[in-house]
Amino acid sequence: MPDVGDTVTASLTVDPYDATTAATLTVTAPNGTVSSPATGTADNGKTWTAPLTYTAAGLWRLSWTVTGTGASVQHEVVPVAPAPPTMADVRSYATTTQLANILHKAPPLDAVELLERATDLLDSDFLKAAVYDVDDAGMPTDPVVRAAFAEAVCRQVEFWGEVGVETDVSGPLEGVSIGSVQLQFGASENRSGPDYYAPGLIRALENIPADKLRWGISTGGFAW
């Protein structure tokens, strides 16, 4: 799979072909922009090529139109990946260095994305009812809280490495408690949902002193 910024040579093989064969390429970018790079052949019409640079992530459509002998229209959809994010590109309570040190091994290649996702999970499912000191960017300023949040998201990434990343982490959960706070998400009385949260995440939050993090009232999934 190409990455954004890659320059490739698009190619089409025509059969049958002869001196009347000609091929053009129309490229549709993910935002709908259409371009027609120059095409050429080095073997009298059998193979046609065109230079192409993928300038954005997403789905690109390559449409070849052949006239003369071998006349046809052929389409190809090419998925283009974005450049891998760095820690500067995401909001995260932990760095990949902290993750490696907590796991005592090299982090996974998608560690940046997983840390971002774990941070989103912590924010949306746990911290809406929490009160703690933050800076202008909304990040905790107390070193104890910072360390606990880092531990929490790293343990969640570790957990996902063992059980797989779930796509809906706030649906069927039932029965997680942090002190006097209980979280119950969607599981019915007769159907307990699977636990989508790392036990280490819960412990990290439980270990934060009450004078550094306080639980307020939320209209979301928290209940007393």
Side-chain angles (χ1 to χ4, degrees), residues 163-189:
V163 304
V165 179
E166 298 292 341
T167 58
D168 183 6
V169 296
S170 60
L173 174 70
E174 184 175 15
V176 168
S177 299
I178 303 175
S180 63
V181 180
Q182 296 180 345
L183 297 97
Q184 297 181 348
F185 294 111
S188 67
E189 181 178 352

Side-chain angles (χ1 to χ4, degrees), residues 138-159:
M139 301 298 284
T141 56
D142 188 285
V144 173
V145 177
R146 287 202 307 266
F149 285 7
E151 173 83 14
V153 297
C154 288
R155 291 306 179 190
Q156 186 65 35
V157 170
E158 179 185 37
F159 181 70

Side-chain angles (χ1 to χ4, degrees), residues 87-101:
M87 293 306 305
D89 301 321
V90 303
R91 171 182 165 84
S92 174
Y93 290 129
T95 66
T96 56
T97 298
Q98 288 173 302
L99 177 61
N101 289 335

Side-chain angles (χ1 to χ4, degrees), residues 91 134-139:
R91 171 182 165 84
V134 299
D135 59 19
D136 291 341
M139 301 298 284

Side-chain angles (χ1 to χ4, degrees), residues 26-50:
T26 301
V27 177
T28 305
N31 65 358
T33 301
V34 177
S35 61
S36 299
T39 60
T41 180
D43 53 10
N44 300 316
K46 179 179 180 181
T47 305
W48 293 82
T49 61

